[in-house]
């Protein structure tokens, strides 16, 4: 019996020790799984964060602003075109019949000209009608001789006063015609000079063309004052009386032009539609403060006189991906940490965009350098030393 007890007691002790060891192993294994699970949850909670160092933000010129509700002017976004102002253009016409000979081959569209510069010569020497200057001179000399003769005859009462007055009228007309051509006459023909400084907008004739008096030769423009013609769809006609100004952008150019800084104003707007168009033109004028070219097509943001308060952000804060729009919002109390947020957009005036959802008033949003933040998010790198422990 004693032998049996001596065998059983050690065996039970071994079994108890084995059970304790097994329980400890199970407990350690559960603890390790829990820690891994908590670490995984923490990683998921911060997986959408973009982290940038202060140096990276300075290099990328990152700027932020606090989103706030403010008045947002109503906008109509339409297509338009820059055209020359009526008072900014001048058409040079032929002052005589003749064949066009341009002074040099540098007279092309866009070339600058100065006042008084010789543009072309009109020659009629080889034409059957002859040289108009020579013809005008001959007519003048003949009228002058007739007038001198009429003066003597009217003194001797051989002709009537009426006949003398007729001779005097013919002389005055011949003199005016001759002087008009004589001032621009040269050995090569009648010289056409630029009446003003500017640029050649259109060459309306070619070298060697035959023209008659009054034929348009060249259109000049100074490009100092331009007009912006916006084509507004008919559903917005009722808003046209409220148009107070405009912003516009040339496709492919990120520059936003503001008429308010270009001495711009609204000139007119259509009161009805023409039978062949569903668009009504709105005409605005402005100074050419840059290198704007007449004929350029633009995106126009017509600004109304009044609006309503809303949350808006600068255009530079918005990024687009596959038709969706996003902004980058700063994480509170964590400098250099941002999260990507999808937003719904409303009105757009070319400078700011109305935010319908996705951002709340008081949140800090990246307004400059949003693309650099996006590139940082694509890299997926987290600077050394950044901790997600909270």
């Amino acid at each position: 019996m004693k032998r049996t007890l001596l065998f059983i007691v050690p065996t039970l002790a071994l079994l108890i020790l084995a059970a304790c060891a097994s329980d400890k192993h199970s407990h350690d294994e559960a603890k390790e799984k829990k820690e891994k699970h908590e670490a995984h949850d923490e990683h998921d909670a911060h997986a959408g964060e973009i982290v940038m160092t202060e140096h990276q933000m300075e290099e990328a010129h990152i700027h932020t602003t606090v989103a706030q509700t403010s008045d947002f002017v109503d906008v109509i976004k339409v297509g338009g075109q820059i055209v020359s102002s009526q008072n900014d253009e001048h058409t040079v016409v032929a002052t005589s019949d003749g064949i066009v000979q341009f002074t040099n081959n540098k007279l092309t569209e866009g070339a600058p000209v100065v006042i008084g510069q010789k543009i072309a010569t009109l020659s009629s020497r080889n034409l059957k009608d002859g040289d108009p200057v020579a013809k005008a001179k001959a007519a003048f000399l003949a009228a002058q001789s007739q007038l001198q003769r009429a003066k003597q005859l009217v003194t001797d009462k051989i002709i009537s006063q009426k006949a003398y007055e007729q001779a005097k009228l013919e002389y005055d007309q011949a003199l005016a015609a001759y002087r008009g051509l004589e001032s621009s006459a040269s050995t090569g023909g009648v010289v056409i000079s630029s009446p003003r400084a500017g640029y050649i907008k259109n060459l309306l004739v070619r070298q060697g063309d035959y023209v008659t008096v009054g034929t348009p030769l060249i259109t000049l423009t100074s490009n100092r004052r331009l007009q912006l013609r916006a084509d507004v769809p008919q559903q917005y006609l009722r808003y046209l009386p409220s148009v107070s100004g405009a912003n516009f952008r040339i496709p492919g150019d990120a520059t936003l032009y503001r008429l308010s800084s270009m001495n711009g104003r609204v000139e007119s707007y259509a009161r009805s539609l023409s039978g062949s168009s569903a668009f009504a033109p709105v005409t605005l004028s402005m100074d050419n403060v840059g290198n704007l070219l007449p004929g350029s097509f633009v995106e126009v943001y017509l600004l109304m006189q009044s609006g309503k308060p809303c949350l808006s952000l600068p255009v530079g804060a918005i990024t687009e991906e596959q038709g969706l729009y996003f902004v980058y919002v700063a994480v509170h109390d964590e400098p250099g940490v941002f999260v990507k947020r999808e937003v719904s957009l409303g009105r757009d005036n070319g400078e700011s965009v109305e935010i319908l959802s996705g951002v709340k008033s008081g949140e800090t949003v990246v307004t400059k350098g949003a693309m650099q933040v996006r590139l940082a998010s694509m890299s997926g790198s987290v600077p050394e030393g950044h901790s997600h422990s909270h």
Side-chain angles (χ1 to χ4, degrees):
M1 182 66 179
K2 289 182 179 181
R3 289 182 178 181
T4 303
L5 289 174
L6 290 174
F7 175 77
I8 293 175
V9 170
T11 302
L12 287 174
L14 290 174
L15 290 174
I16 291 170
L17 290 174
C20 290
S22 176
D23 288 344
K24 186 177 184 302
H25 176 74
S26 298
H27 177 73
D28 291 342
E29 188 177 43
K31 183 178 179 182
E32 183 179 356
K33 287 182 179 181
K34 182 179 179 181
E35 290 176 350
K36 287 183 178 180
H37 183 70
E38 289 176 349
H40 180 72
D41 288 344
E42 183 178 358
H43 177 269
D44 287 345
H46 298 280
E49 293 183 354
I50 304 101
V51 184
M52 300 183 71
T53 65
E54 183 177 350
H55 177 67
Q56 288 175 325
M57 292 179 64
E58 288 179 357
E59 283 191 336
H61 303 288
I62 304 297
H63 292 278
T64 61
T65 188
V66 177
Q68 294 179 343
T69 300
S70 60
D71 289 338
F72 191 93
V73 176
D74 288 332
V75 176
I76 302 176
K77 185 177 179 180
V78 297
Q81 188 177 20
I82 298 173
V83 297
S84 297
S85 174
Q86 292 293 332
N87 297 328
D88 192 67
E89 292 188 357
H90 183 86
T91 301
V92 180
V93 301
T95 57
S96 172
D97 299 347
I99 296 175
V100 178
Q101 298 291 329
F102 288 110
T103 54
N104 61 65
N105 57 7
K106 294 182 179 180
L107 291 175
T108 57
E109 293 182 355
V113 295
V114 297
I115 187 170
Q117 178 178 334
K118 294 181 179 180
I119 297 175
T121 300
L122 305 179
S123 176
S124 301
R125 289 190 172 182
N126 297 324
L127 301 178
K128 65 177 183 178
D129 292 335
D131 187 352
V133 179
K135 290 168 63 177
K137 183 177 181 180
F140 162 69
L141 293 176
Q144 186 180 50
S145 177
Q146 288 291 338
L147 179 61
Q148 291 174 351
R149 183 171 178 273
K151 284 181 180 180
Q152 184 63 40
L153 293 176
V154 75
T155 302
D156 296 338
K157 298 181 186 275
I158 298 175
I159 62 173
S160 64
Q161 186 67 28
K162 183 178 180 180
Y164 170 77
E165 294 294 341
Q166 180 63 35
K168 179 70 166 59
L169 176 62
E170 291 175 356
Y171 168 79
D172 290 340
Q173 291 175 340
L175 176 62
Y178 176 55
R179 282 181 174 175
L181 291 174
E182 183 187 31
S183 61
S184 58
S186 69
T187 55
V190 175
V191 176
I192 304 298
S193 301
S194 173
R196 63 191 295 182
Y199 300 88
I200 297 177
K201 179 182 179 181
N202 299 113
L203 288 172
L204 305 176
V205 294
R206 295 176 297 178
Q207 184 89 342
D209 283 351
Y210 173 76
V211 297
T212 58
V213 176
T215 302
L217 304 177
I218 292 174
T219 302
L220 298 175
T221 179
S222 63
N223 273 355
R224 293 177 182 174
R225 191 72 178 169
L226 300 174
Q227 287 186 340
L228 177 62
R229 177 189 170 103
D231 296 319
V232 181
Q234 60 183 3
Q235 63 264 33
Y236 298 115
L237 290 183
R238 65 183 184 276
Y239 299 113
L240 296 189
S242 299
V243 175
S244 61
N247 299 331
F248 68 92
R249 180 180 283 114
I250 300 173
D253 184 355
T255 304
L256 180 70
Y257 296 90
R258 303 173 181 84
L259 261 66
S260 59
S261 61
M262 301 169 68
N263 192 25
R265 62 176 180 267
V266 179
E267 296 290 349
S268 63
Y269 61 88
R271 265 66 175 182
S272 62
L273 297 174
S274 63
S276 58
S277 175
F279 296 88
V282 175
T283 304
L284 308 99
S285 63
M286 59 193 173
D287 291 339
N288 190 357
V289 297
N291 297 317
L292 300 175
L293 297 177
S296 301
F297 290 94
V298 295
E299 298 173 351
V300 184
Y301 305 88
L302 294 176
L303 308 178
M304 303 294 104
Q305 293 177 352
S306 61
K308 60 182 181 179
C310 70
L311 188 69
S312 64
L313 291 172
V315 172
I318 312 299
T319 61
E320 181 182 0
E321 297 179 35
Q322 299 179 347
L324 300 177
Y325 299 96
F326 299 90
V327 298
Y328 293 93
V329 181
V331 175
H332 184 62
D333 293 336
E334 290 197 46
V337 183
F338 306 95
V339 291
K340 182 179 178 182
R341 189 88 60 76
E342 183 180 350
V343 292
S344 298
L345 307 182
R347 297 164 295 171
D348 179 0
N349 63 14
E351 185 173 15
S352 300
V353 183
E354 179 184 14
I355 306 299
L356 300 178
S357 64
V359 175
K360 297 179 181 179
S361 179
E363 290 188 304
T364 302
V365 181
V366 175
T367 54
K368 185 177 180 181
M371 187 55 65
Q372 282 69 25
V373 178
R374 177 185 175 185
L375 293 175
S377 69
M378 295 171 63
S379 68
S381 60
V382 177
E384 184 178 354
H386 178 77
S387 174
H388 284 302
S389 60
H390 301 284

